[in-house]
């Protein structure tokens, strides 16, 4: 499965679904002769328990097999985002900020980096970059600057912002729902690391690209499109903004309300559709079903590795090469996660590593949360290093390439690799000082 995902011979959702089916037939059927292992991996009965929807202990803590909480939450947020996109919310926000800094290139550069990081804390980084890159290209044509540096910086900040919260990046959603962590748990741990790192990254990209983005041309901005022109449905815009605020509020308080992320995702999707009854078909047609199917197949394959205890062998291997040294163990988790995620999709890697760190924590006595934050930062940030490391990178480079600005591996990695190393060093030092 990993090899086929890397080679991209087939679309990744078909790769995981076929490998998931083979796991059910060959591993659980012919190999183990265990219907119980198959049912445990499919994990359907978990959906019909109260703890799945209302977690009195603050989280359902279900890590075996298909993580239905992740599936439902991601689908729900996709529906909300498509509802916001339909009314022009993202384009309006970009144009509003550009106008606020009087269409000056360097202030737009810094503002868009910040906005990319902040939006990605609550909305999938792919969506953030899709709209932000498109507006950046549009502004580059009006203001006569090269959009590539700005989009590359936005991509990096989106991945960094996504690492700060439970709902920012798919690996964090999987980690949070697997271990029953709350939104606040991530904000107080990976959020702090991301916040410190963002300061350094803003300075790094500012000095890296300021000469390239400096323009002496004076451009008449009076004919520029107004932020209001981006809004396609004023009533829908207000409703979408309120729904987004409700989603953020529910996520921030879910540790107190004990509503699981599955409940939040389902509720948000339902009110999005109920408030736009004429556009249900349009919204639902744009949902990224390929990603949802990708997750389903992936969880089954990882369930196979879990049921056959192969993941315990991997955990034992990490323990043996670290010699039981906690510092080396944490360094291996964070740096191996980062290097692997630079070339392999970070979602399957994170899903595979969750049971591994759980086993490691049980056998070594190292706090599971410490390993969790190391895995989270490694998978979320490592993917920023190469054009194929994270989906947001692929989207960002594709948008500028379509506009006539192809991005080579050399151009991308020249700044992304040093920026990734900066964040990984900050993450490692912070985790060593704070938790060990």
């Amino acid at each position: 499965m990993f090899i086929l995902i890397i080679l991209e011979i087939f679309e990744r959702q078909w790769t995981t679904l076929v490998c998931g089916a083979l796991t059910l037939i060959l591993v659980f059927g012919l190999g183990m002769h265990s219907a119980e292992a198959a049912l445990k991996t499919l994990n359907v009965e978990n959906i019909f328990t109260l703890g799945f929807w209302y977690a009195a202990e603050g989280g359902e803590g279900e890590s075996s097999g298909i993580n239905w909480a992740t599936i439902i939450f991601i689908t729900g947020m996709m529906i909300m985002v498509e509802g916001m996109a339909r009314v022009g919310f993202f384009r309006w926000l970009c144009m509003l900020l550009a106008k606020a800094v009087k269409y000056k290139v360097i202030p737009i550069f810094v503002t868009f980096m910040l906005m990319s990081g902040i939006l990605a804390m609550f909305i999938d980084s792919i969506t953030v970059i899709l709209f932000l890159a498109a507006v950046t290209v549009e502004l580059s044509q009006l203001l006569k600057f090269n959009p590539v540096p700005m989009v590359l910086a936005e991509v990096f900040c989106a991945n960094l912002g996504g690492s700060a919260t439970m709902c920012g990046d798919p690996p964090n959603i999987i980690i949070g729902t697997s271990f029953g962590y709350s939104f606040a748990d991530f904000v107080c741990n990976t959020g702090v690391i991301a916040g410190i790192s963002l300061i350094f990254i803003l300075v790094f990209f500012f000095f890296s690209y300021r000469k390239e983005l400096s323009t002496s041309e004076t451009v008449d901005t009076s004919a520029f499109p107004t932020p209001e022109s981006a809004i396609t449905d004023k009533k829908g815009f207000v409703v979408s903004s309120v729904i987004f605020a409700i989603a953020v509020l529910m996520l921030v308080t879910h540790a107190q309300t004990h509503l699981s992320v599955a409940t939040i995702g389902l509720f948000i999707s339902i009110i999005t559709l109920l408030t736009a009854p004429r556009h249900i078909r349009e919204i639902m047609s744009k949902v990224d079903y390929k990603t949802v199917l990708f997750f389903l197949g992936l969880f089954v394959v990882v369930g196979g590795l879990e049921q056959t205890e192969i993941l315990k062998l991997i955990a034992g291997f990490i323990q043996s090469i670290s010699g039981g040294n906690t510092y080396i163990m944490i360094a291996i988790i964070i740096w191996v996660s980062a290097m692997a995620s630079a070339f392999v999709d970070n979602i399957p890697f994170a899903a595979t590593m969750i049971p591994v760190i759980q086993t490691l924590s049980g056998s070594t006595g190292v706090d599971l949360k410490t390993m969790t934050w190391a895995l989270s930062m490694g998978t979320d940030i490592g993917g920023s290093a190469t054009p194929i490391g994270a989906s947001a990178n692929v989207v960002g480079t594709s948008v500028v390439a379509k506009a006539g600005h192809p991005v080579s591996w050399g151009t991308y990695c020249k700044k992304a690799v040093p920026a990734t190393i900066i964040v990984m060093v900050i993450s490692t030092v912070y985790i060593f000082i704070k938790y060990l």
Side-chain angles (χ1 to χ4, degrees), residues 319-348:
Q319 188 178 348
S320 66
I321 60 172
S322 66
N325 185 303
T326 305
Y327 288 91
I328 295 173
M329 203 180 300
I330 295 298
I332 288 171
I333 291 169
I334 193 167
W335 285 93
V336 169
S337 297
M339 286 186 282
S341 297
F343 300 100
V344 178
D345 194 307
N346 60 4
I347 298 169

Side-chain angles (χ1 to χ4, degrees), residues 277-292:
R278 295 180 183 177
H279 304 280
I280 289 175
R281 183 176 290 182
E282 179 190 345
I283 292 169
M284 293 303 291
S285 68
K286 292 182 178 178
V287 171
D288 187 3
Y289 296 106
K290 291 180 179 180
T291 296
V292 177

